Amino acid sequence: MMFSISFKLFVSKLCLFGFWRRHRRKVIVSVGLLGSGYTLYKLYGAHKQRLLDLEKELEVERETNELIKAQLQAHFESIQRIADSTTLPYAIHYLQSRISQDLDLSNSMQRLIQAKSQPSLLTKAEKVELWERLKILGFVKLVLSLWAITLLSLYIRVQVNILGRHLYIDTARKQGSSLVLEEADQFDKHGEQEFLATADYLSSYGMTQLIPSMEMAVTEVLKGKHLSDTFNAPVLRETIMQILDRFVSIDGPHHWVTYLVPENAVAYKRLTAASSSGLEAATTSLHPDIDKLDQLMAEARFVLSSEDFGSVVDISLRSVVDALVDEMGFGSLLPSGLALAKVLPEVSKMSLLLLEEAVRNKFIQVVRNLPAVQLFYTHLYANMPIVA
C-alpha cells in the first residue's frame, strides 16, 4: 500500500515536471500577466484616487479664487467710491478755496467800478494798470483752474489704479494660503487713505510754484493783446492753448509733475506734520510704512511722466478747452466776437464753473468719457510696471 502511494506521487511529480518543461514559457507569461494586471489595477486605483483628490483641490482653489476675485472687486470698488465721493470732491473744494484766495480779483474790480462813479478816484495810468492786471490775473485764474481740475481728476484716477493693481498682486501672491483678503492686503485702509490724501498736495504746496509759472506763461502770450482786440471762439481757444503750451515749456515737459506729487514720502510727511503740529511732531509722526508710501508716490510719478499719460493729458486738455469755449457761447451769441475788455468778466465766471463740485462738474465728465482716457486706465490697471 505504501509503495503504491509513493509510486503514484512519483508519477505525479514526473507528470508535473513534464508539464512544466512543456509549458514553462506559457506559465511564466501567464503568471507575469496576472502579476502585471494586478499591479496595473493597483496603480490605476491609486491614479484614480489622485485624480479625485486633484479635482477636489482644483475645486477648492476655484472657489478660493472666485472668493478672492469677489473680495478684490468689492475692495477696488470701495477705493473708487472713496476717490469719487470723498477724495475728488474734497480736493476740488480745497483747490477752489486756494485759487479764490490767491487769485482774488474782487478788489481790482471794485476799484474800477467805483472809478466809474468817481472819475477822480483813479488816474488814467492807474486805470490802465488795473485793467492790465485784471487781464493777466483773469486768464491766469481761468487757465490754471482748467489745468488743475483736468490734471487732478486724472491723477486721482491714477492713484485708484495703482492701489487696485497692488492689491491684486499682493493677494495673488498669497492666494494659496489660508489668509483672508483683509490679512493678505499689505495696504490697509489707513495706508490707502494716506496715499489718496496726497491729492491735496497740489492745493497745499504745489500751488506756490504753479501760480508764478502760469502767470509767466499768460504774460508772455497776452503781452501783445490789447483790451480793444476782438475775441471770438477760435481766438479764445487758440489763446488758451498757447498759454498751456507755453506753461509746459517753461520748466520742461514733466516739471509740472512736481506740482501734483511729492518728491518723496519722508519730505512729504515732515512737511504735512510740520504745517499742522510743529517740527517736533514732524519728527515723531512718520508712519512706520513710509517705504510703502514712498513706493506708491514713485509709481505715481512714473505713470504721470510716461509718454502715454502725456498723450492723455493733451487730449483731455484740448477737450476741456473746447467744452469751455462752447460753454461761453461765443458762436451762438456773437459770432464776430467781443472786445477783450468785455470778455474778461466771462473769463472770471468760467473759472468758478470749472471748479464746480465733482458731481455736477461737466468738465470732469468730459474727461472721464473720453475713449482715450478709458483705454489708458484699462491698460494701466492690467500692465502697470512696479517701480522698485
Side-chain angles (χ1 to χ4, degrees):
M1 178 65 72
M2 292 294 298
F3 174 78
S4 174
I5 293 173
S6 299
F7 181 75
K8 289 180 179 180
L9 290 173
F10 176 73
V11 171
S12 298
K13 289 181 179 180
L14 286 177
C15 291
L16 287 173
F17 181 73
F19 178 83
W20 170 253
R21 290 183 59 188
R22 290 193 303 271
H23 302 287
R24 180 178 56 185
R25 290 181 58 85
K26 293 181 181 180
V27 171
I28 292 174
V29 171
S30 297
V31 172
L33 288 175
L34 288 173
S36 299
Y38 178 75
T39 303
L40 288 174
Y41 172 76
K42 296 294 290 183
L43 289 174
Y44 171 75
H47 179 67
K48 186 175 181 180
Q49 186 60 45
R50 282 197 299 270
L51 288 177
L52 291 174
D53 294 340
L54 182 60
E55 287 181 3
K56 291 180 180 178
E57 291 177 3
L58 291 175
E59 183 63 27
V60 171
E61 185 176 349
R62 278 194 295 268
E63 292 176 357
T64 302
N65 287 338
E66 291 300 321
L67 177 61
I68 290 174
K69 288 178 181 178
Q71 291 176 319
L72 279 172
Q73 185 64 28
H75 191 75
F76 186 52
E77 290 175 356
S78 174
I79 296 174
Q80 288 181 313
R81 285 193 297 271
I82 291 173
D84 292 338
S85 64
T86 304
T87 308
L88 183 58
Y90 180 78
I92 291 176
H93 176 74
Y94 195 14
L95 180 67
Q96 183 185 46
S97 300
R98 183 65 189 270
I99 292 176
S100 298
Q101 176 183 339
D102 291 0
L103 296 171
D104 184 11
L105 309 180
S106 60
N107 186 47
S108 297
M109 291 292 295
Q110 188 64 31
R111 291 183 66 190
L112 286 172
I113 292 173
Q114 290 176 350
K116 282 187 176 182
S117 58
Q118 304 176 45
S120 61
L121 188 63
L122 295 173
T123 65
K124 185 177 180 180
E126 288 174 333
K127 288 181 182 179
V128 172
E129 183 181 354
L130 276 177
W131 273 110
E132 286 297 317
R133 189 61 180 161
L134 280 174
K135 180 184 75 173
I136 298 299
L137 290 185
F139 272 89
V140 169
K141 190 173 183 178
L142 175 72
V143 181
L144 187 145
S145 299
L146 186 151
W147 183 89
I149 198 66
T150 302
L151 269 293
L152 191 61
S153 61
L154 290 172
Y155 171 53
I156 289 175
R157 188 61 59 179
V158 167
Q159 289 181 305
V160 169
N161 279 272
I162 287 176
L163 287 173
R165 181 64 174 167
H166 268 285
L167 180 64
Y168 175 82
I169 292 174
D170 288 341
T171 307
R173 287 171 178 168
K174 299 188 176 185
Q175 61 180 267
S177 71
S178 59
L179 297 177
V180 295
L181 180 62
E182 289 77 11
E183 295 172 335
D185 182 14
Q186 295 180 14
F187 296 93
D188 58 16
K189 293 185 182 298
H190 175 76
E192 292 166 1
Q193 292 171 1
E194 188 174 34
F195 178 53
L196 289 173
T198 62
D200 285 338
Y201 184 80
L202 172 63
S203 301
S204 301
Y205 310 104
M207 200 67 66
T208 304
Q209 294 179 317
L210 174 58
I211 291 177
S213 295
M214 189 64 74
E215 185 172 348
M216 186 183 301
V218 170
T219 302
E220 291 187 17
V221 172
L222 295 184
K223 62 184 177 182
K225 300 186 184 297
H226 305 287
L227 293 171
S228 59
D229 291 348
T230 300
F231 264 59
N232 55 22
V235 173
L236 180 61
R237 182 183 290 107
E238 181 183 1
T239 300
I240 294 175
M241 290 308 305
Q242 286 176 348
I243 293 171
L244 289 170
D245 291 340
R246 183 69 191 110
F247 164 70
V248 172
S249 65
I250 287 176
D251 297 312
H254 301 303
H255 182 75
W256 53 264
V257 175
T258 61
Y259 304 148
L260 283 168
V261 188
E263 183 178 355
N264 60 72
V266 173
Y268 170 69
K269 293 294 291 181
R270 293 186 186 280
L271 188 64
T272 55
S275 63
S276 59
S277 305
L279 184 59
E280 182 179 354
T283 307
T284 59
S285 64
L286 295 179
H287 195 274
D289 290 333
I290 196 73
D291 291 339
K292 283 296 183 182
L293 180 59
D294 196 56
Q295 181 186 2
L296 291 171
M297 290 180 178
E299 290 176 14
R301 288 194 299 272
F302 181 85
V303 173
L304 267 58
S305 301
S306 68
E307 184 177 346
D308 289 341
F309 187 76
S311 298
V312 167
V313 169
D314 185 64
I315 293 171
S316 299
L317 287 173
R318 290 181 184 277
S319 298
V320 174
V321 170
D322 290 341
L324 176 70
V325 174
D326 290 343
E327 186 70 22
M328 294 181 73
F330 278 98
S332 59
L333 296 178
L334 287 172
S336 59
L338 290 170
L340 177 55
K342 293 184 178 180
V343 172
L344 291 179
E346 295 299 317
V347 166
S348 181
K349 291 179 183 177
M350 294 309 297
S351 300
L352 296 175
L353 191 60
L354 281 163
L355 298 174
E356 194 172 31
E357 62 184 45
V359 176
R360 297 184 300 173
N361 195 310
K362 61 181 65 178
F363 302 105
I364 291 178
Q365 295 303 321
V366 166
V367 173
R368 285 183 178 176
N369 294 334
L370 289 172
V373 172
Q374 296 174 354
L375 183 62
F376 171 78
Y377 288 119
T378 299
H379 287 316
L380 175 63
Y381 185 74
N383 305 305
M384 185 189 69
I386 303 300
V387 180

mmCIF file of all heavy atoms in Angstrom, residues 243-264:
data_model
loop_
_atom_site.group_PDB
_atom_site.id
_atom_site.type_symbol
_atom_site.label_atom_id
_atom_site.label_comp_id
_atom_site.label_asym_id
_atom_site.label_seq_id
_atom_site.Cartn_x
_atom_site.Cartn_y
_atom_site.Cartn_z
ATOM 1 N N ILE A 243 -1.264 129.467 -24.099
ATOM 2 C CA ILE A 243 -0.849 129.607 -22.698
ATOM 3 C C ILE A 243 -0.457 128.252 -22.118
ATOM 4 O O ILE A 243 0.572 128.122 -21.428
ATOM 5 C CB ILE A 243 -1.987 130.245 -21.868
ATOM 6 C CG1 ILE A 243 -2.228 131.688 -22.310
ATOM 7 C CG2 ILE A 243 -1.653 130.191 -20.373
ATOM 8 C CD1 ILE A 243 -3.466 132.314 -21.698
ATOM 9 N N LEU A 244 -1.258 127.219 -22.395
ATOM 10 C CA LEU A 244 -0.950 125.875 -21.890
ATOM 11 C C LEU A 244 0.370 125.360 -22.454
ATOM 12 O O LEU A 244 1.188 124.771 -21.731
ATOM 13 C CB LEU A 244 -2.089 124.914 -22.227
ATOM 14 C CG LEU A 244 -3.390 125.112 -21.441
ATOM 15 C CD1 LEU A 244 -4.504 124.262 -22.034
ATOM 16 C CD2 LEU A 244 -3.200 124.769 -19.966
ATOM 17 N N ASP A 245 0.585 125.569 -23.749
ATOM 18 C CA ASP A 245 1.832 125.117 -24.370
ATOM 19 C C ASP A 245 3.035 125.868 -23.791
ATOM 20 O O ASP A 245 4.092 125.263 -23.532
ATOM 21 C CB ASP A 245 1.771 125.329 -25.883
ATOM 22 C CG ASP A 245 0.768 124.398 -26.566
ATOM 23 O OD1 ASP A 245 0.419 123.370 -25.956
ATOM 24 O OD2 ASP A 245 0.342 124.717 -27.689
ATOM 25 N N ARG A 246 2.876 127.154 -23.582
ATOM 26 C CA ARG A 246 3.981 127.939 -23.016
ATOM 27 C C ARG A 246 4.257 127.525 -21.575
ATOM 28 O O ARG A 246 5.414 127.453 -21.148
ATOM 29 C CB ARG A 246 3.634 129.435 -23.074
ATOM 30 C CG ARG A 246 4.769 130.321 -22.581
ATOM 31 C CD ARG A 246 5.938 130.284 -23.531
ATOM 32 N NE ARG A 246 7.122 130.929 -22.949
ATOM 33 C CZ ARG A 246 8.210 130.283 -22.574
ATOM 34 N NH1 ARG A 246 8.299 128.964 -22.720
ATOM 35 N NH2 ARG A 246 9.246 130.933 -22.083
ATOM 36 N N PHE A 247 3.212 127.252 -20.844
ATOM 37 C CA PHE A 247 3.354 126.816 -19.451
ATOM 38 C C PHE A 247 4.178 125.535 -19.367
ATOM 39 O O PHE A 247 5.084 125.419 -18.524
ATOM 40 C CB PHE A 247 1.969 126.605 -18.839
ATOM 41 C CG PHE A 247 1.960 125.806 -17.563
ATOM 42 C CD1 PHE A 247 2.468 126.325 -16.392
ATOM 43 C CD2 PHE A 247 1.446 124.513 -17.548
ATOM 44 C CE1 PHE A 247 2.466 125.586 -15.218
ATOM 45 C CE2 PHE A 247 1.439 123.769 -16.391
ATOM 46 C CZ PHE A 247 1.953 124.299 -15.218
ATOM 47 N N VAL A 248 3.884 124.580 -20.231
ATOM 48 C CA VAL A 248 4.607 123.302 -20.209
ATOM 49 C C VAL A 248 6.074 123.495 -20.587
ATOM 50 O O VAL A 248 6.962 122.812 -20.057
ATOM 51 C CB VAL A 248 3.926 122.287 -21.161
ATOM 52 C CG1 VAL A 248 4.769 121.033 -21.305
ATOM 53 C CG2 VAL A 248 2.541 121.923 -20.646
ATOM 54 N N SER A 249 6.336 124.431 -21.497
ATOM 55 C CA SER A 249 7.703 124.602 -21.997
ATOM 56 C C SER A 249 8.589 125.414 -21.062
ATOM 57 O O SER A 249 9.813 125.436 -21.236
ATOM 58 C CB SER A 249 7.670 125.285 -23.371
ATOM 59 O OG SER A 249 7.161 126.603 -23.264
ATOM 60 N N ILE A 250 8.008 126.087 -20.071
ATOM 61 C CA ILE A 250 8.796 126.958 -19.193
ATOM 62 C C ILE A 250 9.840 126.167 -18.398
ATOM 63 O O ILE A 250 11.026 126.504 -18.387
ATOM 64 C CB ILE A 250 7.871 127.735 -18.226
ATOM 65 C CG1 ILE A 250 7.118 128.824 -18.990
ATOM 66 C CG2 ILE A 250 8.682 128.359 -17.089
ATOM 67 C CD1 ILE A 250 6.108 129.579 -18.148
ATOM 68 N N ASP A 251 9.411 125.083 -17.741
ATOM 69 C CA ASP A 251 10.321 124.311 -16.881
ATOM 70 C C ASP A 251 10.586 122.899 -17.399
ATOM 71 O O ASP A 251 11.157 122.081 -16.690
ATOM 72 C CB ASP A 251 9.749 124.220 -15.462
ATOM 73 C CG ASP A 251 9.635 125.587 -14.807
ATOM 74 O OD1 ASP A 251 10.617 126.341 -14.874
ATOM 75 O OD2 ASP A 251 8.567 125.892 -14.248
ATOM 76 N N GLY A 252 10.168 122.596 -18.607
ATOM 77 C CA GLY A 252 10.366 121.254 -19.143
ATOM 78 C C GLY A 252 9.061 120.487 -19.206
ATOM 79 O O GLY A 252 8.100 120.821 -18.491
ATOM 80 N N PRO A 253 8.997 119.443 -20.035
ATOM 81 C CA PRO A 253 7.730 118.736 -20.297
ATOM 82 C C PRO A 253 7.123 118.029 -19.095
ATOM 83 O O PRO A 253 5.921 117.831 -19.037
ATOM 84 C CB PRO A 253 8.112 117.733 -21.390
ATOM 85 C CG PRO A 253 9.600 117.569 -21.271
ATOM 86 C CD PRO A 253 10.109 118.897 -20.813
ATOM 87 N N HIS A 254 7.941 117.629 -18.109
ATOM 88 C CA HIS A 254 7.418 116.866 -16.976
ATOM 89 C C HIS A 254 7.596 117.582 -15.634
ATOM 90 O O HIS A 254 7.333 116.995 -14.587
ATOM 91 C CB HIS A 254 8.091 115.497 -16.901
ATOM 92 C CG HIS A 254 7.896 114.663 -18.131
ATOM 93 N ND1 HIS A 254 6.646 114.341 -18.621
ATOM 94 C CD2 HIS A 254 8.799 114.096 -18.976
ATOM 95 C CE1 HIS A 254 6.788 113.609 -19.717
ATOM 96 N NE2 HIS A 254 8.070 113.456 -19.948
ATOM 97 N N HIS A 255 8.032 118.842 -15.666
ATOM 98 C CA HIS A 255 8.250 119.546 -14.400
ATOM 99 C C HIS A 255 6.957 119.727 -13.612
ATOM 100 O O HIS A 255 6.959 119.746 -12.379
ATOM 101 C CB HIS A 255 8.887 120.911 -14.665
ATOM 102 C CG HIS A 255 9.182 121.682 -13.418
ATOM 103 N ND1 HIS A 255 10.242 121.358 -12.591
ATOM 104 C CD2 HIS A 255 8.550 122.733 -12.814
ATOM 105 C CE1 HIS A 255 10.258 122.175 -11.556
ATOM 106 N NE2 HIS A 255 9.243 123.023 -11.659
ATOM 107 N N TRP A 256 5.831 119.813 -14.335
ATOM 108 C CA TRP A 256 4.544 120.015 -13.668
ATOM 109 C C TRP A 256 4.182 118.849 -12.755
ATOM 110 O O TRP A 256 3.333 118.996 -11.870
ATOM 111 C CB TRP A 256 3.433 120.236 -14.689
ATOM 112 C CG TRP A 256 3.341 119.172 -15.754
ATOM 113 C CD1 TRP A 256 3.890 119.201 -17.001
ATOM 114 C CD2 TRP A 256 2.674 117.919 -15.647
ATOM 115 N NE1 TRP A 256 3.610 118.047 -17.682
ATOM 116 C CE2 TRP A 256 2.859 117.244 -16.873
ATOM 117 C CE3 TRP A 256 1.929 117.299 -14.643
ATOM 118 C CZ2 TRP A 256 2.326 115.977 -17.115
ATOM 119 C CZ3 TRP A 256 1.408 116.039 -14.884
ATOM 120 C CH2 TRP A 256 1.608 115.387 -16.109
ATOM 121 N N VAL A 257 4.823 117.693 -12.939
ATOM 122 C CA VAL A 257 4.549 116.544 -12.067
ATOM 123 C C VAL A 257 4.866 116.902 -10.616
ATOM 124 O O VAL A 257 4.193 116.442 -9.685
ATOM 125 C CB VAL A 257 5.357 115.307 -12.518
ATOM 126 C CG1 VAL A 257 5.181 114.152 -11.541
ATOM 127 C CG2 VAL A 257 4.915 114.868 -13.924
ATOM 128 N N THR A 258 5.881 117.744 -10.412
ATOM 129 C CA THR A 258 6.265 118.126 -9.047
ATOM 130 C C THR A 258 5.182 118.961 -8.371
ATOM 131 O O THR A 258 5.192 119.086 -7.142
ATOM 132 C CB THR A 258 7.581 118.927 -9.059
ATOM 133 O OG1 THR A 258 7.401 120.127 -9.827
ATOM 134 C CG2 THR A 258 8.695 118.113 -9.695
ATOM 135 N N TYR A 259 4.263 119.549 -9.146
ATOM 136 C CA TYR A 259 3.161 120.292 -8.550
ATOM 137 C C TYR A 259 2.086 119.362 -7.989
ATOM 138 O O TYR A 259 1.329 119.750 -7.099
ATOM 139 C CB TYR A 259 2.501 121.215 -9.579
ATOM 140 C CG TYR A 259 3.430 122.185 -10.262
ATOM 141 C CD1 TYR A 259 3.203 122.592 -11.573
ATOM 142 C CD2 TYR A 259 4.546 122.705 -9.601
ATOM 143 C CE1 TYR A 259 4.046 123.489 -12.203
ATOM 144 C CE2 TYR A 259 5.400 123.595 -10.240
ATOM 145 C CZ TYR A 259 5.146 123.986 -11.535
ATOM 146 O OH TYR A 259 5.991 124.873 -12.163
ATOM 147 N N LEU A 260 2.043 118.135 -8.508
ATOM 148 C CA LEU A 260 0.990 117.187 -8.142
ATOM 149 C C LEU A 260 1.433 116.151 -7.124
ATOM 150 O O LEU A 260 0.662 115.780 -6.228
ATOM 151 C CB LEU A 260 0.473 116.451 -9.395
ATOM 152 C CG LEU A 260 -0.466 117.217 -10.323
ATOM 153 C CD1 LEU A 260 -0.637 116.457 -11.620
ATOM 154 C CD2 LEU A 260 -1.818 117.436 -9.667
ATOM 155 N N VAL A 261 2.663 115.647 -7.282
ATOM 156 C CA VAL A 261 3.128 114.520 -6.468
ATOM 157 C C VAL A 261 4.350 114.941 -5.659
ATOM 158 O O VAL A 261 5.290 115.512 -6.221
ATOM 159 C CB VAL A 261 3.489 113.306 -7.355
ATOM 160 C CG1 VAL A 261 3.771 112.086 -6.483
ATOM 161 C CG2 VAL A 261 2.379 113.013 -8.343
ATOM 162 N N PRO A 262 4.370 114.671 -4.354
ATOM 163 C CA PRO A 262 5.550 114.994 -3.540
ATOM 164 C C PRO A 262 6.793 114.291 -4.055
ATOM 165 O O PRO A 262 6.719 113.222 -4.668
ATOM 166 C CB PRO A 262 5.161 114.478 -2.147
ATOM 167 C CG PRO A 262 3.666 114.402 -2.155
ATOM 168 C CD PRO A 262 3.273 114.078 -3.557
ATOM 169 N N GLU A 263 7.931 114.896 -3.792
ATOM 170 C CA GLU A 263 9.195 114.328 -4.262
ATOM 171 C C GLU A 263 9.489 112.990 -3.609
ATOM 172 O O GLU A 263 9.954 112.057 -4.248
ATOM 173 C CB GLU A 263 10.337 115.315 -3.992
ATOM 174 C CG GLU A 263 11.684 114.856 -4.509
ATOM 175 C CD GLU A 263 12.778 115.875 -4.256
ATOM 176 O OE1 GLU A 263 12.457 116.970 -3.760
ATOM 177 O OE2 GLU A 263 13.953 115.566 -4.550
ATOM 178 N N ASN A 264 9.244 112.870 -2.316
ATOM 179 C CA ASN A 264 9.410 111.600 -1.615
ATOM 180 C C ASN A 264 8.545 111.612 -0.368
ATOM 181 O O ASN A 264 8.094 112.671 0.093
ATOM 182 C CB ASN A 264 10.879 111.329 -1.263
ATOM 183 C CG ASN A 264 11.464 112.409 -0.373
ATOM 184 O OD1 ASN A 264 11.131 112.495 0.807
ATOM 185 N ND2 ASN A 264 12.338 113.246 -0.942
#
